[in-house]
Amino acid sequence: MKWDTLEEEPCSLARTVAVIGDRWSLLILRECFLRIRRFDDFQTSLGITRHLLADRLKKFVRFGVLRKIPYQEAPKRYEYILTQKGLDLYPIIMSIVHWGNVHMVDSRGRPLLHEHKNCHKMFDPVMICSECGEPLTAKAVHVHPGPGARRSSPTSNGVSAKNAG
């Protein structure tokens, strides 16, 4: 796999990594979910260079993760709003946050707590089966080739190493 052609791979993970697979992209998404919308606010919050920030924001707009909306005419300035495609990345971001809360916190504890607006309780994200509602773990899942998989030599689980994902 070549880094600049990941979006063309027959692998959902590779295609997703093409969009969000670097630290700045993930941190920009974190800021979006924390309601940051303006270029200068992203830059101040993250300490990212203007060039890198502009590059990542353009990529998110190109992939339909963010929508660019003008909020000022002279000079022209934009807000970056999560689209539905961007909002659908929330479970990924929350899974990464949860892993960090479990494995990377220091003695002070979690830096942010998440409250469910409906029940007003602090929560941890949980991944469940969409069919039966049972919690999912890596050991409880079998992977099978789908209609978009490449035909090549299968591994022990039925999916080739090249197109697992």
Side-chain angles (χ1 to χ4, degrees), residues 31 35-48 50 53 71 77-79:
E31 298 303 301
R35 312 288 196 282
I36 300 291
R37 295 179 168 188
R38 297 182 177 180
F39 190 96
D40 291 339
D41 295 336
F42 284 116
Q43 190 177 25
T44 300
S45 179
L46 295 170
I48 187 174
R50 295 182 71 76
L53 178 57
Y71 72 88
R77 295 187 183 235
Y78 297 91
E79 287 187 332

Side-chain angles (χ1 to χ4, degrees), residues 11-29:
C11 169
S12 297
L13 181 62
R15 289 177 181 172
T16 303
V17 167
V19 180
I20 66 168
D22 68 84
R23 66 181 175 180
W24 289 119
S25 294
L26 290 170
L27 292 173
I28 290 166
L29 284 170

Side-chain angles (χ1 to χ4, degrees), residues 47-83:
I48 187 174
T49 66
R50 295 182 71 76
H51 171 75
L52 279 173
L53 178 57
D55 179 64
R56 295 318 187 275
L57 291 172
K58 282 178 192 171
K59 178 176 73 171
F60 281 152
V61 170
R62 181 171 46 100
F63 278 104
V65 171
L66 294 176
R67 189 172 65 242
K68 192 173 167 181
I69 308 288
Y71 72 88
Q72 180 179 308
E73 288 301 320
K76 195 144 197 168
R77 295 187 183 235
Y78 297 91
E79 287 187 332
Y80 295 87
I81 311 296
L82 287 161
T83 63

Side-chain angles (χ1 to χ4, degrees), residues 109-137:
R110 297 175 179 195
L112 296 175
L113 300 174
H114 296 85
E115 177 186 337
H116 186 219
K117 287 182 179 181
N118 291 349
C119 71
H120 306 287
K121 304 278 186 187
M122 299 302 164
F123 71 91
D124 289 322
V126 178
M127 191 167 50
I128 62 167
C129 173
S130 62
E131 298 300 315
C132 71
E134 290 282 322
L136 293 175
T137 65

